[in-house]
């Protein structure tokens, strides 16, 4: 594609719940990401959270286009996650989503207000973050 930079995209729990609900806005956005050949990332903690919720379902079609990121147990993502969890009010899943987004310089897709509060709190010059809500 003509050398245009397309940032990676990280899906939070709310985004995958929207996929399960077949939310039109999310599905249209997901299709745009696919057409633009964006790298789609789902932290393993997000998948675990979905499996623990009632019904325990995952949106298989959406996840088939995504890379599951297992890097949250070590490296840069882990360091960011610890920083966000210790210095903020984040639960582990929100901290992992924020850390993954910062580490990959990715856009976060979410529906959760609490996650947005965390992500704006960690948004600074050294660790920029973009968010799309559905």
């Amino acid at each position: 594609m003509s050398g245009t930079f397309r940032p990676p995209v990280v899906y939070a729990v709310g985004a995958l719940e929207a996929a399960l609900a077949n939310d039109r806005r999310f599905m249209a956005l997901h299709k745009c990401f696919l057409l633009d050949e964006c790298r789609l990332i789902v932290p393993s903690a997000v998948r675990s959270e979905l499996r623990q919720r009632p019904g325990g379902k995952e949106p298989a079609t959406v996840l088939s286009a995504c890379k599951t990121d297992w890097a949250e147990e070590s490296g840069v993502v882990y360091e960011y996650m610890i920083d966000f969890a210790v210095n903020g009010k984040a639960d582990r899943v929100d901290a992992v989503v924020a850390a993954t987004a910062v580490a990959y310089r990715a856009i976060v897709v979410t529906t959760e207000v609490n996650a947005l509060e965390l992500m704006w709190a960690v948004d600074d010059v050294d660790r920029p973050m973009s968010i799309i809500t559905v």
Side-chain angles (χ1 to χ4, degrees):
M1 307 232 100
S2 73
T4 303
F5 174 73
R6 289 172 178 75
V9 176
V10 174
Y11 287 154
V13 174
L16 295 182
E17 286 179 331
L20 281 171
N22 204 25
D23 181 88
R24 289 176 45 201
R25 293 171 299 170
F26 173 79
M27 296 310 289
L29 186 61
H30 179 68
K31 184 175 182 178
C32 288
F33 291 144
L34 292 175
L35 291 172
D36 280 347
E37 299 179 0
C38 293
R39 182 175 178 198
L40 303 173
I41 303 166
V42 177
S44 61
V46 168
R47 293 188 71 173
S48 296
E49 177 71 19
L50 280 178
R51 285 191 296 266
Q52 292 174 6
R53 292 190 177 197
K57 294 184 180 180
E58 292 182 330
T61 305
V62 169
L63 287 174
S64 68
C66 300
K67 171 195 176 282
T68 299
D69 185 49
W70 302 99
E72 61 206 47
E73 299 303 325
S74 63
V76 175
V77 173
Y78 181 75
E79 291 173 17
Y80 284 146
M81 189 268 296
I82 294 297
D83 187 31
F84 299 157
V86 169
N87 295 325
K89 301 175 193 172
D91 67 14
R92 183 178 184 281
V93 176
D94 288 346
V96 168
V97 169
T100 303
V102 169
Y104 286 99
R105 293 192 168 118
I107 296 169
V108 175
V109 178
T110 186
T111 59
E112 301 174 31
V113 175
N114 290 339
L116 288 175
E117 290 172 0
L118 162 73
M119 291 171 198
W120 285 119
V122 300
D123 187 18
D124 61 31
V125 175
D126 297 326
R127 301 182 290 202
M129 186 181 312
S130 299
I131 302 165
I132 297 174
T133 58
V134 288

